[in-house]
Amino acid sequence: MASGTRELTVELGERSYPIYIGTELIARTGEMFAERGFPVKSPILLVTDSSVVGLYAAKVEDSLTASGYSVTRAVVPSGESSKSLAMLDDLVEAALKAGLDRRSTVIALGGGVVGDLAGFVAASYMRGIRFVQIPTTILAHDSSVGGKVAVNHRLAKNIIGAFHQPEFVLYDLDTLMSLPPREVRAGLSEVIKHGLIWNKEFVAWCDENADKLIALEPDALGYALYEGCKVKSIVVSRDERENDLRAILNLGHTIGHALEAVAGYGELLHGEAIAIGMIGSARLAARFGYSETIAGETERIFRKFGLPVRIPAEFKTESIMSAMLHDKKFLEGQMVFVVPTAIGSVEIRQDVPSSWVSEIVDGLREGI
Ligand code: NAD
Ligand code: GLY
């Protein structure tokens, strides 16, 4: 691996896999396939989206072809609406037409939408084939690690899916330089989330280095993504299938997913919705008797990163509450919330009165 490349391992026994974070990596995709013994005779499906295709697909394909692989490109429209059963169907058709067999690989080149969708194609095609993640958004430091793959249903997000781990994750920082500023900020929301659940020193570092991160300064960005991926890999290694610990990664998601559903998928970016949700969770913490400063501190940091901290005025509390009932984070008749106990640590609560949640949602609305 090129010098300066950071490396982590998601420890899952025989299914352990590396995450490489660095520069000039995608031009080495073919080499990495060959080093790992991916079979040359089995065709590869490269899934990407309409915004990413013109930027990076040819570089990945050229590298694979130079190493003797045959690769077929499948392009989905950019945006959350591509995480659908209809798109899964299209991609399975593309895989069949390209002649993918049981030894073939699906590559996800893009953000979390492409990663989740292509990953679910890989998990379901012939009951599961190889899968490689090449994330191209900051947010995808989260989605490309851990093997959760899914599409949305019109009533609920990520409700049709599987756990299917990639063979490796190739995170080329060069690809992040073309991200629109709003996507940069939304992605950083999940980076900060990893600090908020696990590592208060990292939260402080993000706070101090906000300007460098927003400006995509490579050293700061590489370090932040490494630290974010590190938290994610530790948690996934201990609880791959979310029996207990992994649920902490859902900080902000109970309210956040409901906001995304109410907004109509794609209107509020995932990282933006989660940022508002994390402030909601921090306000819940105060109801449970934890320090009232957690909410103010969380909000201050998100404001510094230019993230939304209030629920858009037109979103009705009843709609948000109703969307929460369809979420996966509803267990045994109770909403499940991840609640911060301090900056850098959280607990999982299933005893949150819905009246508290609706009061907090009301209090988070714009104009209040
Ligand atoms: P995304 O994939 O829609 O990408 C955001 C936008 O940036 C899109 O318009 C895309 O076309 C564009 N884009 C991507 N890379 C680019 C680049 N390098 N340059 C310019 N434009 C680029 O969204 P996202 O924020 O990456 O991911 C959000 C999705 O991830 C949601 O569906 C969410 O549910 C999912 N997610 C999954 C997990 C998981 O564990 N599986 C975790 C977190 C989020
Ligand atoms: N983003 C939550 C998880 O991966 O479990």
Side-chain angles (χ1 to χ4, degrees):
M1 216 23 79
S3 69
T5 302
R6 293 177 165 94
E7 189 176 337
L8 282 161
T9 304
V10 182
E11 302 284 357
L12 289 169
E14 286 178 355
R15 291 174 301 112
S16 297
Y17 57 92
I19 306 166
Y20 301 109
I21 304 170
T23 55
E24 297 176 19
L25 292 181
I26 56 173
R28 303 199 45 221
T29 311
E31 217 178 292
M32 296 182 67
F33 269 54
E35 277 167 18
R36 284 175 168 69
F38 283 44
V40 174
K41 289 187 180 156
S42 296
I44 294 168
L45 186 71
L46 175 85
V47 181
T48 188
D49 77 18
S50 50
S51 298
V52 177
V53 62
L55 299 169
Y56 309 112
K59 211 168 193 175
V60 175
E61 288 162 355
D62 289 352
S63 161
L64 286 162
T65 326
S67 293
Y69 292 94
S70 75
V71 47
T72 298
R73 181 191 287 189
V75 185
V76 303
S78 154
E80 186 72 24
S81 58
S82 281
K83 268 175 64 173
S84 67
L85 280 174
M87 208 56 76
L88 172 77
D89 187 286
D90 285 357
L91 290 176
V92 168
E93 184 170 327
L96 284 166
K97 286 184 175 161
L100 265 70
D101 61 35
R102 284 188 190 285
R103 295 188 175 173
S104 284
T105 304
V106 174
I107 301 178
L109 173 71
V113 164
V114 165
D116 283 10
L117 171 67
F120 192 43
V121 173
S124 35
Y125 186 76
M126 295 187 176
R127 299 195 182 86
I129 61 170
R130 285 190 183 93
F131 165 46
V132 166
Q133 287 270 20
I134 308 187
T136 65
T137 63
I138 293 177
L139 189 129
H141 85 284
D142 185 0
S143 57
S144 63
V145 176
K148 278 190 181 177
V149 295
V151 295
N152 300 326
H153 185 272
R154 65 188 167 281
L155 291 180
K157 196 172 152 70
N158 295 336
I159 209 75
I160 308 158
F163 288 94
H164 190 62
Q165 302 292 342
E167 300 294 313
F168 64 92
V169 180
L170 197 59
Y171 210 160
D172 190 332
L173 301 175
D174 298 333
T175 65
L176 304 177
M177 301 304 146
S178 52
L179 280 172
R182 186 176 168 200
E183 296 291 348
V184 169
R185 292 169 196 274
L188 289 170
S189 154
E190 294 260 28
V191 172
I192 299 163
K193 177 198 81 177
H194 284 122
L196 289 172
I197 61 177
W198 198 263
N199 182 346
K200 71 173 182 201
E201 287 80 18
F202 180 51
V203 176
W205 181 90
C206 288
D207 188 12
E208 278 161 30
N209 290 277
D211 291 347
K212 288 184 188 165
L213 290 172
I214 292 165
L216 300 175
E217 196 271 291
D219 284 344
L221 192 60
Y223 173 74
L225 294 174
Y226 174 82
E227 288 298 320
C229 288
K230 187 158 84 184
V231 173
K232 178 115 194 204
S233 0
I234 292 169
V235 173
V236 168
S237 298
R238 293 188 194 171
D239 175 27
E240 181 187 9
R241 293 197 163 234
E242 199 168 311
N243 292 314
D244 39 52
L245 179 72
R246 185 167 179 165
I248 68 171
L249 297 172
N250 296 329
L251 175 66
H253 284 56
T254 312
I255 293 176
H257 274 178
L259 295 177
E260 284 185 274
V262 170
Y265 294 125
E267 289 306 309
L268 198 57
L269 300 182
H270 180 68
E272 294 173 340
I274 298 314
I276 301 169
M278 284 191 261
I279 296 168
S281 300
R283 289 190 178 192
L284 263 182
R287 300 272 181 131
F288 280 111
Y290 295 112
S291 169
E292 298 203 352
T293 61
I294 304 170
E297 183 62 357
T298 306
E299 183 170 329
R300 183 189 64 72
I301 294 170
F302 286 143
R303 281 188 192 277
K304 191 168 183 182
F305 278 85
L307 282 157
V309 293
R310 290 291 177 270
I311 295 172
E314 67 276 17
F315 290 18
K316 302 263 179 298
T317 300
E318 310 84 74
S319 316
I320 298 168
M321 296 302 290
S322 153
M324 274 185 229
L325 302 186
H326 291 298
D327 199 83
K328 295 188 298 314
K329 286 168 284 304
F330 197 77
L331 273 185
E332 297 161 356
Q334 295 288 329
M335 277 183 285
V336 182
F337 273 87
V338 184
V339 174
T341 55
I343 298 286
S345 65
V346 290
E347 65 182 14
I348 298 162
R349 310 254 350 184
Q350 235 178 293
D351 56 348
V352 181
S354 63
S355 59
W356 288 8
V357 183
S358 57
E359 282 159 25
I360 282 170
V361 166
D362 274 342
L364 273 175
R365 189 161 288 101
E366 271 167 358
I368 293 176

